[in-house]
Amino acid sequence: MLEKKSIDYEKAVLIGVINAVQNEAKVNEYLDELEFLTYTAGGEVQKRFTQRIEVPNPKTYIGSGKMQEVQEYVKEHEIGSVIFDDELSPAQQNNIEKLLRCKILDRTGLILDIFAQRAKTSYARTQVELAQYEYLLPRLTGLWTHLERQRGGIGMRGPGETEIETDRRIVRDRIALLKKKLTKIDRQMETQRSNRGSLVRVALVGYTNVGKSTLMNVISKSEVFAENKLFATLDTTVRKVVIGNLPFLLSDTVGFIRKLPTQLVESFKSTLDEVREADLLLHVVDISHPNFEEHIDSVNQILDEIKSVDKKTIMVFNKIDQYQAETIDEDDLITEPTSAHFTIEDWKKTWFNKIGDRAVFISALNKENLEEFRKRVYDEVRDIHVTRFPYNNFLYPEHLDEY
Ligand SMILES: Nc1nc2c(ncn2[C@@H]2O[C@H](COP(=O)(O)OP(=O)(O)OP(=O)(O)O)[C@@H](O)[C@H]2O)c(=O)[nH]1
Ligand SMILES: [Mg+2]
């Protein structure tokens, strides 16, 4: 029961619902991201199903007609996994599994699985394992209440109940053990961090796949793993960086995503401490992504959850080399220009109006505009440094022309 399912996504279908809060275009964008997540997990999406439904069906999430359509497709094409964009209740997940007879995952389950696949260090693995068990626990409860309702009281006091009760106890024990293990590691990391001395601490934050690690590598000449998949980075890397005469610490950490499972935010607490304890955040944004503004909101929401939303922040708009504004044909008199038609210059103006010079536009890949980026970071770090150590001449001798 507690063995991890060996997940082999090979062939998958995606399911999303259209409703008052998410129109068809939005759902398609979300499904694009879900498809990228599926691909990252090692799967290939064969088909997407969407249904317009205001209130999800409490038993099967989507309606029975649509479910039948999915069922036929799954059978005919030997689909291994059906992945829902929204969170399913434990009962829904069970019911659907019985109907479709294949693996049923929701967004949270998929993200947890990617984290599990990608966790390399024992520290990351422990954090992911904790999140997975937290996710599993109510699902065991769900299974139990489900059986209870089906069979009633009589017979439920037999081995069935005992087995599930045992499973729940094993999971709880495991959770307690993992928490203890993490507390110990947390303490060690805290000591490590306090040993780093008085250097100003800067943290790269942002949505997954925006180029944080690439920027880290460019700035610190390090070799952090970067690739075009989601959640390439799960562990935090800290490097000492010197700009001009000013040394500081720069950390690269796990990327965020829309609806990042709360279990993960909680168990990645100490990885995220790097962000929480930073003096300055570099919020990296992939401006070439059509949804980048929504990504900014998702990141801010998570920063809020970890009480870091009010920190001093520089917005770093990356991938300007890849940015393409939508265009309107000259003879098209109907289409109204929107922000999708903005040029990079338009975006610069917009953000300058919002936050002044706390926004920079770069390409980490092509090393475009990195001088301005270094200058902006230098100015902010220097401000923090000078405020904190008014009498300290810790700064290396000035040679400002050397950014
Ligand atoms: N075109 C373009 N691609 C870039 C740029 N910066 C990074 N990339 C690419 O974007 C992909 C993701 O880069 P990463 O540096 O791994 O992104 P990340 O933010 O660290 O991602 P996670 O660790 O998964 O959160 C890689 O394929 C990079 O080569 C850029 O300025 N322009
Ligand atoms: Mg990374």
Side-chain angles (χ1 to χ4, degrees):
M1 179 82 218
L2 293 179
E3 275 168 36
K4 274 187 213 142
K5 296 177 197 166
S6 68
I7 295 194
D8 166 18
Y9 295 106
E10 301 293 297
K11 283 180 172 183
V13 301
L14 308 182
I15 299 185
V17 299
I18 302 161
N19 55 33
V21 284
Q22 45 189 46
N23 62 19
E24 193 172 349
K26 218 29 357 138
V27 171
N28 278 328
E29 284 165 7
Y30 292 161
L31 290 184
D32 284 345
E33 183 173 85
L34 195 67
E35 181 160 349
F36 199 3
L37 282 165
T38 307
Y39 159 75
T40 300
E44 207 179 300
V45 174
Q46 307 288 310
K47 194 175 166 64
R48 298 170 173 198
F49 290 90
T50 54
Q51 184 179 33
R52 190 176 294 276
I53 184 168
E54 280 316 319
V55 184
N57 183 315
K59 287 196 180 128
T60 54
Y61 201 76
I62 51 173
S64 56
K66 183 59 81 175
M67 188 53 91
Q68 203 160 1
E69 219 181 288
V70 177
Q71 199 170 11
E72 275 156 25
Y73 188 91
V74 164
K75 208 166 162 194
E76 193 177 326
H77 296 87
E78 297 178 337
I79 298 300
S81 308
V82 173
I83 306 171
F84 287 73
D85 190 43
D86 302 278
E87 187 141 348
L88 298 172
S89 74
Q92 282 167 336
Q93 199 168 348
N94 259 314
N95 294 337
I96 301 168
E97 209 158 77
K98 284 212 186 80
L99 282 173
L100 300 183
R101 305 199 164 278
C102 66
K103 267 166 278 172
I104 307 301
L105 285 155
D106 57 12
R107 204 183 148 82
T108 305
L110 182 61
I111 294 175
L112 284 173
D113 190 66
I114 294 172
F115 270 65
Q117 270 184 30
R118 309 211 122 203
K120 303 247 160 47
T121 62
S122 97
Y123 182 47
R125 274 205 299 272
T126 311
Q127 295 181 106
V128 176
E129 207 183 329
L130 175 61
Q132 280 182 311
Y133 278 119
E134 301 267 16
Y135 178 73
L136 185 65
L137 190 60
R139 278 159 179 76
L140 291 176
T141 321
L143 183 64
W144 185 56
T145 49
H146 165 77
L147 288 178
E148 189 181 43
R149 227 182 301 122
Q150 212 173 43
R151 295 199 225 150
I154 300 169
M156 273 311 292
R157 281 168 289 257
E161 182 180 346
T162 322
E163 202 178 288
I164 293 153
E165 275 302 301
T166 314
D167 282 348
R168 292 172 70 192
R169 188 170 45 72
I170 294 172
V171 171
R172 276 207 212 93
D173 288 353
R174 188 79 194 141
I175 287 176
L177 193 81
L178 288 168
K179 278 188 174 159
K180 226 186 258 169
K181 205 167 150 188
L182 281 178
T183 317
K184 203 169 142 200
I185 305 177
D186 283 354
R187 250 182 258 130
Q188 286 165 359
M189 308 243 319
E190 234 174 87
T191 324
Q192 262 179 32
R193 281 199 300 268
S194 60
N195 286 344
R196 284 199 211 128
S198 51
L199 290 181
V200 170
R201 282 155 58 177
V202 182
L204 289 159
V205 295
Y207 212 75
T208 178
N209 210 44
V210 294
K212 298 179 294 298
S213 299
T214 309
L215 185 57
M216 173 88 171
N217 288 339
V218 174
I219 294 301
S220 70
K221 300 183 184 72
S222 59
E223 285 296 325
V224 178
F225 180 61
E227 71 165 338
N228 191 22
K229 282 196 176 173
L230 303 178
F231 305 114
T233 310
L234 286 192
D235 286 290
T236 304
T237 312
V238 184
R239 291 272 182 281
K240 185 167 156 190
V241 177
V242 183
I243 300 182
N245 61 348
L246 186 61
F248 61 93
L249 293 174
L250 180 64
S251 72
D252 173 31
T253 191
V254 58
F256 299 164
I257 196 164
R258 184 177 77 94
K259 295 191 186 166
L260 186 68
T262 43
Q263 297 95 338
L264 276 175
V265 179
E266 274 160 32
S267 55
F268 271 73
K269 187 194 148 297
S270 43
T271 297
L272 295 171
D273 275 346
E274 208 62 60
V275 175
R276 212 176 284 122
E277 294 173 14
D279 304 295
L280 172 69
L281 301 182
L282 306 178
H283 182 162
V284 185
V285 178
D286 173 359
I287 195 166
S288 73
H289 196 290
N291 275 355
F292 79 88
E293 287 180 291
E294 203 178 316
H295 292 175
I296 295 176
D297 292 341
S298 298
V299 170
N300 284 336
Q301 211 173 321
I302 295 163
L303 287 177
D304 193 30
E305 268 175 58
I306 61 170
K307 306 204 166 28
S308 301
V309 80
D310 295 324
K311 274 185 197 297
K312 217 174 206 203
T313 304
I314 299 178
M315 298 296 293
V316 184
F317 294 92
N318 188 31
K319 306 201 190 179
I320 53 171
D321 60 289
Q322 208 173 255
Y323 179 78
Q324 266 181 330
E326 278 180 28
T327 48
I328 302 174
D329 282 346
E330 259 175 54
D331 50 359
D332 178 349
L333 302 174
I334 299 164
T335 309
E336 292 280 338
T338 65
S339 61
H341 303 94
F342 278 15
T343 61
I344 288 286
E345 284 311 313
D346 294 331
W347 280 119
K348 279 186 186 166
K349 273 184 219 140
T350 309
W351 279 90
F352 186 82
N353 288 337
K354 267 193 216 176
I355 54 174
D357 61 357
R358 290 230 174 112
V360 277
F361 291 74
I362 63 163
S363 162
L365 197 69
N366 294 354
K367 304 190 168 59
E368 258 176 89
N369 216 15
L370 289 184
E371 298 67 41
E372 189 191 334
F373 169 76
R374 286 200 178 90
K375 172 95 176 81
R376 291 298 312 124
V377 175
Y378 178 90
D379 287 348
E380 294 294 341
V381 172
R382 196 170 197 283
D383 272 0
I384 298 166
H385 192 100
V386 171
T387 328
R388 189 172 308 164
F389 314 108
Y391 308 109
N392 170 314
N393 53 359
F394 190 78
L395 297 180
Y396 295 163
E398 297 252 4
H399 39 94
L400 283 172
D401 35 70
E402 264 185 40
Y403 290 117

